[in-house]
Amino acid sequence: MMAKPEQANEEWHSTACNLCFVNCGVEIKLGGEDGRQVLKVRGDKEHPTSQGYICNKASRLDYYQNSKARINSPMRRTPDGSYEAVDWDTAISEIAGKLATVRDEHGGDKILYYGGGGQGNHLGGAYATSLRKALGIRYKSSAISQEKTGLSWVFSRMIGGLVHPEVHHAKVAMFVGKNPFMSNGLDRARLFLKEIKKDPERTLIVMDPRRTETADHADIHLAVRPGRDAWCLGAILAHIVQSNLLPMDWLAEHAAGYEKVIERFQAIDVDSYAEFSGVSPSQVKETAEVIAKAESFALEEDIGVQMAPHSTLVTYLNFLLMLMNGNYGRPGTIGMITQLADMIAVDYGPVDENGYETERRTLPVTGAPIVSGLFPANYLTEEILNDDPKRSRALIVESSNPVHSLSDAKRMRRALRHLDFSLAIDVVMSETAMECDYVLPASSQYEKWEATFFPRNFPANIFHLREPILEPMPNTLGEPEMHARLIEALGVFDAGELDGLKTAAQNGMAAYQGELFSQMGSNRKVASYLPYVLYRTLGPALPEGQAATAAIWGLCQMYVLKHSAEAARAGFSGPSAGSDLFQALVDSPTAVEIGISTYEESWARIPHPENKLQMLIGELLDEVDVLDKLEPMLKTSEEYPFALVAGVRRAYTANCNIRDPQWAKGRAVTALTMHPEDAQRFGLEEGKRVLLETETGQTEVELAYDERMHLGTISVPNGQGMRFVNENNELEDTGVYVNELTSVFHRDRFIGTPLHKFVPARVSAC
Ligand code: SF4
């Protein structure tokens, strides 16, 4: 329940950390003069997956909750570029009017939507679907399209469901482009690494150009040359194929299309691929044999490869390595999960007999592919900055900061100013908000009911619905209320149209459920605007302040219908299963197991013919031909001799939820890192300011040595360069604003993910 100031120093409040997508369960002790300061944070031992684990970052959550950049009034941009505070009624009426004008004059498909929930902050986004419907918005995206849409395209086509590689239970686990020791992104990351290092029965393989802190825990470190992961993975798979180590009987029973994969990999020259990748052929072959002979093998990749050359091809190779070796549907391999709501939708189009997809929705101007319902954010500016009548005219940004997180920030700012209208919904005055026509201030994730749709666990999956631990900051609103008010200003429903549902809600869940199903049959608008309808009809009947959970009630009903066996194993069955699950989520201070799956279900739920895994993705198997040329996709040159990793997660960097650099006080987090031999070669000194230049931009930064770096590679941390208010109440920024240095045109050719992990760059003394 809400923290009362008089008890604030005694009570621990259960909630979650929002600094990475693991969203560990935490307990927070509040205090300070107003009782609103986050004084202490500890791990929540009751949380079913994090089990009391937290990393060093969670203790700094106060920098998010009490950021000086928070806003407490709707803001309207004035002709001179400054902002003026306006009241909520004025803001809602003007914003609805301007969006309606764009919709009516140009069509709702000219309004883009970006975001829908920051890290671990997704409940508001669930209500945005109703606003998008009211405006006729067709195209949406989020930061997920910067990293994970290649992954979803590959697992959708090969498996057809949302999957969880069980690295925690695999005999052989592998990380490709992932450094969980620093970046987390894995349940109980450091404990897992310690455990696997100590266990003689298990093997850890790490593929990364840098000798990462995770690689320190590995049995095998494949130190590939930057941007050449695809060759190393191709050589590993080719050696397995050529050594007849594949489980042919298993493939015949469970897979389709594997013959063409085998044929292609028979033709690969393992030694030349290995040498080109920078890894010795002997190490490649040793690794291949460890993987092929493993009792179970699971692999997790991350943005180290998802935002690097051959991004989608690398993902395909990673899945081939798991699936071609029989690692699916048994302990320690891959399981298919069930979720209350899919953060990354499964998305595969029709495929012809040669394994090529024949249909895909695309963006109107650039023709860029829409995957998992998301357009590639890297194409956003191109959809705006042109004279095509189909160009985008307006943008709604919710809980996201594309000016900071998308490539080429200058171009993004220009695109925003080119629009007829722009709106930002955020907790803080972000870099994006500073470019928009209107800004609506949201309550923080600790001031409202919240949830994350990220968890991917198998066999038991969890969901954490979190109650507020603080009253909302005055004059801020939750996103569900903002969406509802905008929908009402757009006049979607007639007065009294929803009264029947409101009355039924007062008579209990069963009465409401019956009336809702009846009205969904008789009034199409009820089904089309379901989140809004739930919020305005069921919401008021829920305990005070809890209206935003109404959409979760709807999701629970759908979950138990769709996954009745899994829900029943978790204890939710019978006619009231959906409402029981909802009540369990509301009542529990920590995450709840919502469903327990089995390996048999992982097979039965494969939607492809005969429930078989599809090994052939024609477009990506063809792309292997490109590797045969032994030519890097992106090159360094005499002019730009370094490969810049633009945005690396360090122990004291996090996502953009924390803006104030004071959170890492006393820690050198902002420096550009370089191997000392490279520094010597270019006459650069540690601790000195250097000029970092790319084709897109330049900046000054301090230099630090890092002997772990691969020669020829440099890195700057993520999450820097944000504006913050310093102790003198002045706006300042700190560190490198990496997207001043990146280009929208360096992107994966299949899915459009940006290649931020390989930006040709040069460094010189200042
Ligand atoms: S940053 Fe990630 S791993 Fe660390 S406490 Fe927060 S959610 Fe957990």
Side-chain angles (χ1 to χ4, degrees):
M1 288 294 121
M2 301 288 186
K4 297 189 184 87
E6 64 269 22
Q7 60 180 202
N9 288 320
E10 282 129 48
E11 204 177 333
W12 287 95
H13 305 272
S14 287
T15 182
C17 171
N18 65 354
L19 298 182
C20 86
F21 67 74
V22 174
N23 299 119
C24 295
V26 296
E27 293 179 311
I28 285 180
K29 194 171 267 196
L30 298 162
E33 265 178 34
D34 57 359
R36 294 181 66 87
Q37 314 298 307
V38 176
L39 293 187
K40 287 186 180 165
V41 180
R42 68 182 183 192
D44 173 7
K45 292 197 174 93
E46 300 302 316
H47 191 280
T49 53
S50 59
Q51 299 169 14
Y53 176 88
I54 48 170
C55 74
N56 62 304
K57 298 175 190 180
S59 63
R60 288 150 171 87
L61 282 169
D62 194 57
Y63 285 98
Y64 160 76
Q65 170 57 33
N66 290 305
S67 167
K68 286 186 184 168
R70 289 198 62 180
I71 35 175
N72 60 3
S73 170
M75 307 295 277
R76 179 174 61 196
R77 195 176 170 80
T78 62
D80 69 5
S82 62
Y83 285 87
E84 60 188 358
V86 289
D87 62 73
W88 275 99
D89 286 348
T90 304
I92 293 291
S93 144
E94 290 182 3
I95 291 166
K98 285 171 191 288
L99 286 167
T101 300
V102 176
R103 176 194 62 188
D104 298 343
E105 289 181 4
H106 304 287
D109 60 336
K110 309 302 183 304
I111 306 172
L112 298 174
Y113 175 88
Y114 187 87
Q119 200 85 264
N121 235 355
H122 300 141
L123 192 50
Y127 292 90
T129 53
S130 295
L131 180 62
R132 290 200 296 272
K133 175 82 187 162
L135 291 166
I137 294 176
R138 291 191 63 204
Y139 305 108
K140 65 169 180 158
S141 192
S142 74
I144 288 174
S145 76
Q146 289 273 90
E147 310 165 7
K148 308 294 181 206
T149 33
L151 176 70
S152 68
W153 190 55
V154 167
F155 69 61
S156 296
R157 289 189 59 180
M158 296 183 83
I159 303 173
L162 205 54
V163 292
H164 175 66
E166 291 188 273
V167 287
H168 285 85
H169 304 292
K171 287 288 183 197
V172 177
M174 183 165 176
F175 293 123
V176 179
K178 185 177 181 81
N179 181 13
F181 190 92
M182 281 300 176
S183 63
N184 301 298
L186 186 78
D187 285 335
R188 310 173 84 236
R190 291 192 181 185
L191 289 181
F192 163 74
L193 291 170
K194 264 192 207 159
E195 283 163 15
I196 199 166
K197 189 177 181 186
K198 275 200 298 195
D199 190 341
E201 306 286 310
R202 301 176 69 197
T203 303
L204 178 64
I205 303 167
V206 171
M207 184 182 293
D208 202 304
R210 184 171 174 267
R211 174 83 201 177
T212 61
E213 298 74 7
T214 299
D216 288 346
H217 294 75
D219 301 280
I220 299 172
H221 174 213
L222 302 164
V224 286
R225 291 184 66 184
R228 302 199 186 179
D229 313 76
W231 284 271
C232 189
L233 291 161
I236 292 171
L237 186 56
H239 180 70
I240 293 171
V241 168
Q242 292 167 26
S243 306
N244 298 317
L245 292 172
L246 291 177
M248 296 307 296
D249 291 345
W250 187 92
L251 286 169
E253 188 182 349
H254 295 298
Y258 59 90
E259 300 89 344
K260 286 197 174 165
V261 175
I262 291 173
E263 190 185 325
R264 184 64 191 83
F265 281 82
Q266 284 284 9
I268 281 176
D269 181 346
V270 173
D271 287 6
S272 60
Y273 264 49
E275 275 157 14
F276 187 73
S277 77
V279 179
S280 71
S282 62
Q283 196 185 21
V284 160
K285 290 171 188 172
E286 179 207 345
T287 306
E289 285 168 31
V290 167
I291 292 170
K293 292 173 185 170
E295 187 183 315
S296 56
F297 171 65
L299 179 155
E300 279 269 17
E301 59 169 48
D302 213 329
I303 58 174
V305 287
Q306 289 162 346
M307 299 176 93
H310 298 293
S311 162
T312 308
L313 173 60
V314 166
T315 300
Y316 179 50
L317 295 172
N318 283 335
F319 271 83
L320 282 177
L321 211 47
M322 287 190 277
L323 298 176
M324 290 289 286
N325 285 296
N327 294 290
Y328 182 85
R330 58 191 176 79
T333 62
I334 296 178
M336 194 185 290
I337 65 165
T338 63
Q339 282 197 298
L340 207 57
D342 292 342
M343 200 62 209
I344 308 177
V346 173
D347 176 10
Y348 52 91
V351 170
D352 69 17
E353 66 279 7
N354 295 313
Y356 298 95
E357 197 173 66
T358 52
E359 275 176 43
R360 178 145 297 275
R361 209 156 68 86
T362 57
L363 278 174
V365 175
T366 58
I370 293 170
V371 177
S372 292
L374 305 173
F375 66 80
N378 232 346
Y379 287 83
L380 182 58
T381 56
E382 282 164 85
E383 288 291 322
I384 297 169
L385 293 169
N386 62 76
D387 295 325
D388 194 308
K390 298 193 291 299
R391 73 181 181 277
S392 301
R393 309 268 183 164
L395 175 67
I396 300 172
V397 178
E398 178 173 350
S399 304
S400 263
N401 190 359
V403 171
H404 190 267
S405 60
L406 300 190
S407 309
D408 197 343
K410 283 192 195 77
R411 189 179 160 90
M412 189 66 220
R413 287 192 196 99
R414 193 151 51 85
L416 275 164
R417 296 299 173 87
H418 194 71
L419 292 164
D420 296 359
F421 179 74
S422 53
L423 163 68
I425 296 171
D426 211 320
V427 174
V428 294
M429 198 70 184
S430 69
E431 287 66 28
T432 301
M434 289 175 207
E435 305 296 329
C436 286
D437 297 325
Y438 287 78
V439 187
L440 295 180
S443 310
S444 85
Q445 86 151 41
Y446 299 112
E447 298 168 350
K448 62 196 176 200
W449 282 88
E450 257 306 350
T452 172
F453 298 158
F454 279 142
R456 287 190 303 143
N457 287 281
F458 185 92
N461 208 5
I462 61 162
F463 192 80
H464 193 177
L465 181 63
R466 313 187 298 269
E467 66 177 355
I469 63 172
L470 285 159
E471 294 288 351
M473 177 189 260
N475 211 25
T476 63
L477 289 178
E479 293 87 344
E481 180 65 23
M482 295 182 207
H483 292 306
R485 291 188 190 187
L486 285 167
I487 287 166
E488 283 148 12
L490 289 163
V492 174
F493 284 89
D494 298 332
E497 197 172 349
L498 298 174
D499 284 356
L501 280 166
K502 286 179 189 166
T503 305
Q506 301 300 329
N507 297 325
M509 292 293 188
Y512 181 78
Q513 193 169 340
E515 181 66 16
L516 182 67
F517 286 145
S518 153
Q519 290 220 13
M520 281 168 76
S522 60
N523 181 354
R524 277 179 50 202
K525 274 199 289 179
V526 170
S528 301
Y529 291 88
L530 193 55
Y532 165 77
V533 170
L534 288 166
Y535 181 72
R536 279 295 193 235
T537 60
L538 177 61
L542 296 171
E544 198 186 339
Q546 205 183 304
T549 64
I552 298 294
W553 178 86
L555 290 172
C556 287
Q557 307 303 323
M558 289 189 266
Y559 181 81
V560 299
L561 277 179
K562 197 172 164 195
H563 304 298
S564 55
E566 289 90 340
R569 280 185 214 108
F572 306 104
S573 60
S576 63
S579 295
D580 293 347
L581 173 56
F582 172 69
Q583 203 55 50
L585 292 174
V586 168
D587 290 344
S588 173
T590 193
V592 171
E593 286 186 355
I594 58 168
I596 300 172
S597 304
T598 65
Y599 292 104
E600 291 73 30
E601 283 158 352
S602 293
W603 287 109
R605 290 176 52 225
I606 294 174
H608 302 310
E610 299 176 69
N611 304 121
K612 284 190 169 180
L613 300 164
Q614 304 295 304
M615 299 299 176
L616 178 61
I617 298 182
E619 301 89 330
L620 294 174
L621 197 62
D622 287 352
E623 191 71 358
V624 176
D625 295 352
V626 174
L627 302 183
D628 280 345
K629 295 179 187 140
L630 302 180
E631 275 286 320
M633 174 189 263
L634 289 173
K635 293 180 193 164
T636 54
S637 61
E638 219 169 289
E639 193 181 3
Y640 295 105
F642 288 103
L644 168 68
V645 181
V648 72
R649 193 63 67 87
R650 295 179 182 164
Y652 286 88
T653 65
N655 54 34
C656 300
N657 279 349
I658 291 186
R659 305 176 62 81
D660 186 342
Q662 286 296 314
W663 89 296
K665 202 173 178 181
R667 315 266 172 178
V669 295
T670 57
L672 174 134
T673 53
M674 177 184 282
H675 195 284
E677 281 179 31
D678 276 335
Q680 206 174 19
R681 197 155 56 96
F682 286 85
L684 303 168
E685 272 182 63
E686 185 167 39
K688 292 275 169 64
R689 305 283 295 171
V690 292
L691 181 66
L692 169 63
E693 296 172 276
T694 68
E695 278 180 0
T696 309
Q698 62 175 56
T699 188
E700 283 186 23
V701 60
E702 190 180 311
L703 179 70
Y705 291 166
D706 179 0
E707 293 195 346
R708 291 174 177 273
M709 297 297 290
H710 201 289
L711 285 173
T713 308
I714 52 178
S715 81
V716 288
N718 72 308
Q720 305 291 306
M722 285 178 286
R723 291 270 174 89
F724 70 100
V725 183
N726 66 17
E727 50 278 14
N728 304 320
N729 269 339
E730 294 158 345
L731 268 182
E732 258 188 43
D733 49 35
T734 186
V736 174
Y737 191 143
V738 289
N739 282 316
E740 299 279 6
L741 303 171
T742 57
S743 161
V744 294
F745 300 108
H746 283 175
R747 59 196 174 206
D748 178 71
R749 80 178 188 87
F750 295 98
I751 304 295
T753 41
L755 309 181
H756 287 179
K757 304 300 175 187
F758 196 117
V759 181
R762 65 172 167 248
V763 184
S764 53
C766 282

